[in-house]
Amino acid sequence: GAGVSQSPRYKVAKRGQDVALRCDPISGHVSLFWYQQALGQGPEFLTYFQNEAQLDKSGLPSDRFFAERPEGSVSTLKIQRTQQEDSAVYLCASSLGSGISNQPQHFGDGTRLSIL
Amino acid sequence: GESVGLHLPTLSVQEGDNSIINCAYSNSASDYFIWYKQESGKGPQFIIDIRSNMDKRQGQRVTVLLNKTVKHLSLQIAATQPGDSAVYFCAENIVKGGGNKLTFGTGTQLKVEL
């Protein structure tokens, strides 16, 4: 299909390891977002890209979290020295426009990260 | 699969009845609102959106009502079907840095009984 694709779907890592989560947005979508969803809660904003520019990273919980989108399409969320509290579902979303166009964000099915 | 609905408010309805899911949003400056449906093990799925210059918008079997005075949103689903069973989230748009950062509500688990 032509939706947002995330990989891997599941990731298990030991505490202290680094992980990388990938997002392929809908083709042509300018805006890309990362969210974190804890069990039983709504998604919480992490960071936002407009093309390759990271315009908002106010939601990243610590400097262990890093996101990039070097060519303005695929994005990677990296978590260094993982801790148990990082266990969550990481969702990626994309939208066609940017700014005040107020277009809906379309989500992938997420990566479920479990830190042992 | 693992449920996203643990510890969430639950609404149970009979198949064929209408459902009303409510949401209180937090920021009076928000100007765009979206309802999402999330099934277990999947990402949120867009249902319907509404801008702050409107108070009602209709889609296929769904209607969203916006009351800015009391910062309240509702989602009405007509003739609820078993496939409507899921967790429903409202989200508000807080524009910052030129983007559309969404803030999600708590979520409501909708259960459709046959």
Side-chain angles (χ1 to χ4, degrees):
Chain A
V4 177
S5 178
Q6 293 187 247
S7 61
R9 288 282 285 122
Y10 303 92
K11 176 69 178 178
V12 179
K14 293 183 179 179
R15 185 166 55 91
Q17 289 183 329
D18 298 348
V19 298
L21 313 179
R22 176 188 170 105
C23 173
D24 284 84
I26 294 172
S27 179
H29 277 198
V30 169
S31 298
L32 185 145
F33 305 81
W34 284 97
Y35 291 83
Q36 181 189 61
Q37 186 173 28
L39 186 63
Q41 298 183 18
E44 293 193 354
F45 172 81
L46 294 176
T47 187
Y48 159 66
F49 290 86
Q50 182 176 321
N51 295 308
E52 69 278 4
Q54 189 174 20
L55 297 186
D56 188 347
K57 52 182 180 180
S58 62
L60 296 176
S62 77
D63 58 8
R64 296 186 296 105
F65 287 71
F66 172 77
E68 59 184 4
R69 193 187 185 197
E71 297 179 357
S73 55
V74 171
S75 178
T76 303
L77 176 66
K78 298 179 180 177
I79 309 174
Q80 298 175 324
R81 305 181 302 282
T82 53
Q83 300 177 6
Q84 285 191 325
E85 59 263 31
D86 299 335
S87 296
V89 175
Y90 291 85
L91 294 164
C92 177
S94 69
S95 67
L96 182 61
S98 62
I100 59 172
S101 57
N102 289 338
Q103 295 176 346
Q105 296 178 24
H106 298 277
F107 284 80
D109 286 337
T111 294
R112 183 176 298 278
L113 177 64
S114 298
I115 305 300
L116 305 178
Chain B
E2 190 171 4
S3 170
V4 297
L6 295 178
H7 311 302
L8 293 173
T10 299
L11 174 66
S12 294
V13 299
Q14 293 290 321
E15 181 181 6
D17 287 351
N18 296 334
S19 304
I20 300 177
I21 301 172
N22 296 303
C23 174
Y25 64 92
S26 60
N27 193 329
S28 57
S30 294
D31 56 5
Y32 178 56
F33 305 88
I34 308 177
W35 279 99
Y36 285 95
K37 171 187 179 183
Q38 188 172 28
E39 297 173 285
S40 183
K42 295 191 173 182
Q45 176 188 354
F46 172 81
I47 300 174
I48 191 168
D49 58 1
I50 187 168
R51 289 168 171 69
S52 59
N53 60 353
M54 303 171 68
D55 53 18
K56 179 179 180 179
R57 190 169 186 214
Q58 291 185 293
Q60 185 177 11
R61 278 202 309 120
V62 295
T63 301
V64 56
L65 299 178
L66 174 63
N67 184 329
K68 295 182 288 295
T69 302
V70 294
K71 295 192 291 186
H72 183 268
L73 271 173
S74 68
L75 177 70
Q76 301 177 2
I77 304 174
T80 313
Q81 303 169 359
D84 295 327
S85 293
V87 177
Y88 289 81
F89 292 100
C90 67
E92 59 186 292
N93 178 6
I94 300 176
V95 178
K96 179 179 178 182
N100 294 330
K101 169 184 173 180
L102 291 177
T103 298
F104 283 78
T106 305
T108 298
Q109 173 90 55
L110 176 64
K111 294 186 176 180
V112 181
E113 300 172 348
L114 303 178

